[in-house]
Amino acid sequence: METLILTRNDLVNLVEHVGVHRLMDEVIKVLRQTFLEFDATVTEVRQRDGFAYQVPHPGVLEWMPVMHLGEQAVVKMVGYNPLSPRLYDVPTIVSTISLYDISTAHLVALVDGTFATALRTGAASAVATEVLAHPASEVVGLVGCGAQAVTQLHALSRLFSIRKVLGYDLDAAVARTFPERAGFLGLDVEMVERPRLEAESDIICTATSVGIDEPPVIDDTLLKPWVHINAVGSDLPQKIELPLALLKRSLVCPDYLAQAVVEGECQRLSPAEIGPQLIDLVKRAEQYASYRYSPTVFDSTGFALEDKAVLQVLLAFARELGLGRSMTVETIAADPTDPYSFVRVGRPGLLPEAAEVEASAPAGLARLHVG
Amino acid sequence: METLILTRNDLVNLVEHVGVHRLMDEVIKVLRQTFLEFDATVTEVRQRDGFAYQVPHPGVLEWMPVMHLGEQAVVKMVGYNPLSPRLYDVPTIVSTISLYDISTAHLVALVDGTFATALRTGAASAVATEVLAHPASEVVGLVGCGAQAVTQLHALSRLFSIRKVLGYDLDAAVARTFPERAGFLGLDVEMVERPRLEAESDIICTATSVGIDEPPVIDDTLLKPWVHINAVGSDLPQKIELPLALLKRSLVCPDYLAQAVVEGECQRLSPAEIGPQLIDLVKRAEQYASYRYSPTVFDSTGFALEDKAVLQVLLAFARELGLGRSMTVETIAADPTDPYSFVRVGRPGLLPEAAEVEASAPAGLARLHVG
């Protein structure tokens, strides 16, 4: 039983061969399809759980499990450490994704989840925006221009003809580099003050590291009547990005309700104030088409089903291209009733036979391994 | 940021160089030390959680997380699939263990957990037995002689002078091969009927795959007055191995209370009927010494702290011996604010510059990746 490990270099090769645009298109397509086909009796999605800590600095390490009945389970491990870029030159979000065969618990594959998380978070916003935004949307505003903003814009650019991108970031260094980071999209990107962004954008993505209990990252005064907002940043209890009044007058669609009421914008809304989940939104898109002309919010906390979809895309391309390295990690041996038999199989004669054992001589037993 | 992957071959080499006895001694030592030093304000142990299923056959896939504050987190993924040996020639328990740096969520190491689980489950029983069994114990009975019985006996043999081993298994094939599988210990192993095992054993280990709601695997009629039992097999709600009357008249020590009341023998006891947890038992061994002469039960469900300890032992030996392969799995790149920058870093010019992009031509964009 071998484990396929995709290294960073494998992902570099994958992106090189597939191209970032085709890759994003495929993630969007598979994500949309995953939502359309979702059946709760077949796929069990667990709410994110994890460790939260203040030492060595504030952050969380979380696990996001999802099981496809009778087939596979996917578990993403993901850390959110807002000080990582400053302290270690490492992204806020670092992650790995593992795929298990449910019939034996064998680890089928291990893949980076950092890139996958960025891709699928962008793709999820695009899928929600496709249903909820004004069909003639052409101006995209990005509040918070860090890592997630790049893939938010990339994914939206695959579904909308974007005439203008307005960016805003509190951090001058992040703001300065954003046009270059988004340069591969060939869009007209301008860094602006927040009021102009709010007034001119048809679609806004908030992807900030706003602190717990801090005020919202946008105002609710100048927004277009049909604005669609992808609220990507709220992912902790008491961490919110949008003004409450805006939420209350908008159709708010969580990606995954059980999680959004704990850590998303939905944590401040009553059940009656919350719209359909992303899955239902996609399945009944026609029914929600009229909301394109009024304010809508996609409350994105990121959920395990999205990770399963992006993993599926990455593994399919990797297999097509022959990428990755197969390794035998688990000690599965000829005799399932003998935990030491993987040693005997690997090296006959390794374990001492009874006759050779010096009884009750622990100190000398280390010698006995020599076959 | 590299990830150390220990393959099956690395573990074969490790066991070859270290020797199984020294390895088990070290696991017992580190486990005992881990319990002695345990501080709940520093180490957060999570109860096991997971997916339970009946398709393609009955089983569970579980995650067992533990965090050492400010330093590391260990997450074991473990499957329990009792039909695996018969259907796939794969052990009932298959597992992998991952180590994360808590400051960034970086995956530091990935190691097989199948062997580790067997080792630490044996070692945990030995540590508990050391405190609770009659000091002159010399006969060990094994009810259920599958994979776990091998390491139960191995670990006990490192702390007790065992004169006689009595084995019993419902499955004739498993019973027949046990003396050979235990042969490396140089002990007098005899397969017997259960009444004789119950009457003659000072220490009994039950490690069965008894089904849910089935009757106990031993009787409470012939047991020695000072019998100590390691109940290893109960690990699911409604799965139990011991008669209730025996539990009620014994000092029952769970490894991890919160888990044992859900899936261990303790699920049938009231709080007042449950003794100290393993950690407290080891920390205050003197206080419980008088119980060595009356019946005692170690209710072993297996908990995350044990996995952390055994991982520590395996990684220490692996590093000492230079085993394992370091790979860059995560896509950490020069610019933490750009999810695509790992591609640019790996292959300059990979992502198209703005000027080269054919705007709104998704079908043609795949060509653009050629730098």
Side-chain angles (χ1 to χ4, degrees), chain A residues 31-32 34-40 127-128 131-132 251-258 274-289 298 303 305:
Chain A
L31 202 57
R32 195 193 285 119
T34 298
F35 296 149
L36 279 172
E37 292 170 359
F38 178 79
D39 176 350
V127 169
V131 180
L132 294 173
L251 178 73
V252 180
C253 300
D255 49 7
Y256 183 46
L257 181 62
I274 300 175
Q277 294 189 99
L278 183 53
I279 287 170
D280 302 314
L281 188 71
V282 172
K283 284 190 178 188
R284 298 198 291 274
E286 296 286 307
Q287 185 182 323
Y288 296 103
F298 172 49
F303 73 123
L305 194 61

Coordinates of all heavy atoms in Angstrom, one line a residue, chain A residues 31-32 34-40 127-128 131-132 251-258 274-289 298 303 305:
Chain A
L31 N -15.8 22.3 -8.1 CA -16.4 22.8 -6.9 C -18.0 22.9 -7.2 O -18.8 22.5 -6.4 CB -15.8 24.1 -6.5 CG -16.0 24.5 -5.1 CD1 -15.4 23.5 -4.2 CD2 -15.2 25.9 -4.9
R32 N -18.3 23.5 -8.3 CA -19.7 23.7 -8.6 C -20.4 22.4 -8.7 O -21.5 22.2 -8.2 CB -19.8 24.5 -9.9 CG -21.2 25.1 -10.2 CD -21.3 25.6 -11.7 NE -20.6 26.8 -12.0 CZ -19.6 26.9 -12.9 NH1 -19.1 25.8 -13.5 NH2 -19.0 28.1 -13.2
T34 N -19.5 19.6 -7.4 CA -19.5 19.0 -6.0 C -20.8 19.5 -5.3 O -21.4 18.7 -4.6 CB -18.2 19.3 -5.2 OG1 -17.1 18.7 -5.9 CG2 -18.3 18.7 -3.8
F35 N -21.0 20.7 -5.4 CA -22.2 21.3 -4.7 C -23.5 20.8 -5.3 O -24.4 20.4 -4.6 CB -22.2 22.8 -4.7 CG -21.0 23.4 -4.0 CD1 -20.5 24.6 -4.4 CD2 -20.4 22.8 -2.9 CE1 -19.4 25.2 -3.7 CE2 -19.4 23.4 -2.2 CZ -18.8 24.6 -2.7
L36 N -23.5 20.8 -6.6 CA -24.7 20.3 -7.3 C -25.1 18.9 -7.0 O -26.3 18.5 -6.8 CB -24.5 20.4 -8.9 CG -24.7 21.8 -9.5 CD1 -24.3 21.8 -11.0 CD2 -26.2 22.2 -9.4
E37 N -24.0 18.0 -6.8 CA -24.3 16.6 -6.6 C -24.3 16.2 -5.1 O -24.5 15.1 -4.8 CB -23.1 15.8 -7.3 CG -23.2 15.9 -8.8 CD -21.9 15.3 -9.4 OE1 -21.0 14.8 -8.7 OE2 -21.8 15.3 -10.7
F38 N -24.1 17.2 -4.3 CA -24.0 16.9 -2.8 C -25.2 16.1 -2.3 O -26.3 16.5 -2.5 CB -23.7 18.1 -2.0 CG -23.6 17.9 -0.5 CD1 -22.5 17.4 0.0 CD2 -24.7 18.1 0.3 CE1 -22.3 17.1 1.4 CE2 -24.6 17.8 1.7 CZ -23.4 17.3 2.2
D39 N -24.9 15.1 -1.6 CA -26.0 14.2 -1.0 C -25.5 13.9 0.4 O -24.5 13.2 0.7 CB -26.1 13.0 -1.8 CG -27.1 12.0 -1.2 OD1 -27.6 12.2 0.0 OD2 -27.5 11.0 -1.9
A40 N -26.2 14.5 1.4 CA -25.8 14.4 2.8 C -25.8 12.9 3.3 O -25.2 12.6 4.3 CB -26.7 15.2 3.7
V127 N -18.1 30.9 -7.4 CA -19.3 30.1 -7.6 C -20.5 30.8 -6.9 O -21.6 30.9 -7.5 CB -19.1 28.6 -7.0 CG1 -20.4 27.9 -6.9 CG2 -18.1 27.9 -7.9
A128 N -20.3 31.3 -5.7 CA -21.3 32.1 -5.0 C -21.7 33.4 -5.8 O -22.8 33.8 -5.9 CB -20.9 32.4 -3.6
V131 N -23.9 33.3 -8.8 CA -25.4 33.2 -8.5 C -25.9 34.5 -8.0 O -27.0 34.9 -8.4 CB -25.7 32.1 -7.5 CG1 -27.2 32.0 -7.2 CG2 -25.1 30.7 -8.0
L132 N -25.1 35.2 -7.2 CA -25.7 36.3 -6.5 C -25.4 37.7 -7.0 O -26.1 38.7 -6.6 CB -25.2 36.2 -5.0 CG -25.7 35.0 -4.2 CD1 -25.0 35.0 -2.8 CD2 -27.2 35.1 -4.0
L251 N -29.2 39.4 1.6 CA -29.3 37.9 1.6 C -27.9 37.4 2.0 O -27.0 37.6 1.2 CB -29.7 37.4 0.3 CG -29.8 35.9 0.2 CD1 -31.1 35.4 1.0 CD2 -29.9 35.4 -1.3
V252 N -27.8 36.8 3.2 CA -26.5 36.3 3.6 C -26.5 34.8 3.4 O -27.3 34.0 4.1 CB -26.2 36.7 5.1 CG1 -24.9 36.1 5.6 CG2 -26.3 38.2 5.3
C253 N -25.5 34.3 2.6 CA -25.5 32.9 2.3 C -24.1 32.3 2.9 O -23.1 32.7 2.4 CB -25.5 32.6 0.8 SG -27.0 33.2 0.1
P254 N -24.2 31.5 3.9 CA -23.0 30.9 4.5 C -22.6 29.7 3.6 O -23.4 29.1 2.9 CB -23.5 30.4 5.8 CG -24.9 30.1 5.7 CD -25.5 31.1 4.7
D255 N -21.3 29.5 3.6 CA -20.8 28.3 2.9 C -21.3 27.0 3.6 O -21.8 26.1 3.0 CB -19.3 28.3 2.6 CG -18.5 28.6 3.9 OD1 -19.0 28.6 5.0 OD2 -17.2 28.7 3.7
Y256 N -21.2 27.0 4.9 CA -21.5 25.9 5.7 C -22.1 26.4 7.0 O -21.4 26.9 7.9 CB -20.2 25.0 5.9 CG -20.4 23.7 6.7 CD1 -21.5 22.9 6.4 CD2 -19.6 23.4 7.7 CE1 -21.7 21.7 7.1 CE2 -19.7 22.2 8.4 CZ -20.8 21.3 8.1 OH -21.0 20.2 8.8
L257 N -23.4 26.3 7.2 CA -24.1 27.0 8.2 C -23.6 26.7 9.6 O -23.3 27.6 10.4 CB -25.6 26.6 8.2 CG -26.5 27.2 9.2 CD1 -26.5 28.8 9.0 CD2 -27.9 26.7 9.1
A258 N -23.4 25.4 9.9 CA -23.0 25.0 11.3 C -21.7 25.7 11.7 O -21.5 26.0 12.9 CB -22.8 23.5 11.4
I274 N -30.6 34.3 8.1 CA -29.6 33.7 7.3 C -30.2 33.0 6.1 O -31.3 32.3 6.2 CB -28.9 32.6 8.2 CG1 -28.2 33.3 9.4 CG2 -27.8 31.9 7.4 CD1 -27.5 32.4 10.4
G275 N -29.6 33.2 5.0 CA -30.1 32.7 3.7 C -29.7 31.2 3.5 O -29.2 30.6 4.4
P276 N -29.8 30.7 2.3 CA -29.4 29.4 2.0 C -27.9 29.1 2.1 O -27.1 30.1 1.9 CB -29.9 29.2 0.5 CG -29.8 30.6 0.0 CD -30.2 31.5 1.1
Q277 N -27.5 27.9 2.4 CA -26.1 27.5 2.3 C -25.7 27.5 0.9 O -26.5 27.3 0.0 CB -25.9 26.2 3.0 CG -26.2 26.1 4.4 CD -25.7 24.7 5.0 OE1 -24.7 24.6 5.6 NE2 -26.5 23.7 4.8
L278 N -24.3 27.5 0.7 CA -23.8 27.5 -0.7 C -24.3 26.4 -1.5 O -24.6 26.5 -2.7 CB -22.2 27.5 -0.6 CG -21.4 27.6 -1.8 CD1 -21.8 28.8 -2.7 CD2 -19.9 27.6 -1.5
I279 N -24.3 25.2 -0.9 CA -24.8 24.0 -1.6 C -26.2 24.2 -2.2 O -26.5 24.0 -3.3 CB -24.8 22.8 -0.7 CG1 -23.3 22.3 -0.5 CG2 -25.6 21.6 -1.3 CD1 -23.1 21.3 0.5
D280 N -27.1 24.7 -1.3 CA -28.5 25.0 -1.7 C -28.6 26.1 -2.7 O -29.4 26.1 -3.6 CB -29.4 25.3 -0.5 CG -29.3 24.1 0.5 OD1 -29.4 22.9 0.1 OD2 -29.1 24.4 1.7
L281 N -27.7 27.1 -2.5 CA -27.7 28.2 -3.4 C -27.4 27.8 -4.9 O -28.1 28.2 -5.8 CB -26.7 29.2 -3.0 CG -26.6 30.6 -3.6 CD1 -27.8 31.4 -3.3 CD2 -25.3 31.3 -3.3
V282 N -26.4 26.9 -5.0 CA -26.0 26.4 -6.3 C -27.1 25.5 -6.9 O -27.4 25.5 -8.0 CB -24.6 25.7 -6.2 CG1 -24.3 25.0 -7.5 CG2 -23.6 26.7 -5.8
K283 N -27.6 24.6 -6.0 CA -28.6 23.7 -6.5 C -29.9 24.4 -7.0 O -30.6 23.9 -7.8 CB -29.0 22.7 -5.4 CG -27.9 21.6 -5.1 CD -28.5 20.5 -4.2 CE -27.4 19.4 -4.0 NZ -27.9 18.3 -3.2
R284 N -30.2 25.5 -6.3 CA -31.5 26.2 -6.7 C -31.2 27.6 -7.1 O -31.8 28.6 -6.7 CB -32.4 26.2 -5.5 CG -32.8 24.8 -5.1 CD -34.1 24.8 -4.2 NE -33.8 25.4 -2.9 CZ -33.4 24.7 -1.8 NH1 -33.1 23.4 -2.0 NH2 -33.2 25.3 -0.7
A285 N -30.2 27.8 -8.0 CA -29.7 29.1 -8.4 C -30.8 29.9 -9.0 O -30.9 31.1 -8.8 CB -28.6 28.9 -9.4
E286 N -31.7 29.3 -9.8 CA -32.8 30.0 -10.4 C -33.7 30.7 -9.4 O -34.1 31.9 -9.6 CB -33.7 29.0 -11.2 CG -33.1 28.3 -12.3 CD -32.9 29.2 -13.5 OE1 -33.9 29.8 -14.0 OE2 -31.7 29.4 -14.0
Q287 N -33.9 30.0 -8.3 CA -34.8 30.5 -7.3 C -34.2 31.8 -6.6 O -35.0 32.6 -6.1 CB -34.9 29.4 -6.2 CG -35.9 29.6 -5.1 CD -35.8 28.5 -4.1 OE1 -35.7 27.3 -4.5 NE2 -36.0 28.8 -2.8
Y288 N -32.9 31.9 -6.6 CA -32.3 33.1 -6.0 C -31.8 34.1 -7.0 O -31.2 35.1 -6.6 CB -31.1 32.6 -5.1 CG -31.6 31.7 -4.0 CD1 -31.4 30.3 -4.1 CD2 -32.2 32.2 -2.9 CE1 -31.9 29.5 -3.0 CE2 -32.7 31.4 -1.9 CZ -32.5 30.0 -2.0 OH -33.0 29.2 -1.0
A289 N -32.2 34.0 -8.3 CA -31.7 34.9 -9.3 C -32.2 36.3 -9.0 O -31.4 37.3 -9.3 CB -32.2 34.4 -10.7
F298 N -21.8 36.6 0.6 CA -21.4 35.2 0.7 C -20.5 35.1 2.0 O -19.4 35.7 2.0 CB -20.6 34.7 -0.5 CG -20.0 33.4 -0.4 CD1 -20.7 32.3 0.1 CD2 -18.7 33.2 -0.8 CE1 -20.1 31.0 0.2 CE2 -18.0 31.9 -0.6 CZ -18.8 30.9 -0.1
F303 N -14.9 25.3 4.0 CA -15.3 24.1 4.6 C -14.7 22.8 3.9 O -14.3 22.9 2.7 CB -16.8 24.0 4.9 CG -17.7 23.9 3.6 CD1 -18.6 22.8 3.6 CD2 -17.7 24.8 2.6 CE1 -19.4 22.7 2.5 CE2 -18.5 24.6 1.5 CZ -19.4 23.6 1.5
L305 N -15.7 20.2 2.4 CA -16.1 19.7 1.1 C -15.3 20.4 -0.1 O -15.0 19.8 -1.1 CB -17.6 20.0 0.9 CG -18.3 19.3 -0.2 CD1 -18.2 17.8 -0.1 CD2 -19.8 19.7 -0.3

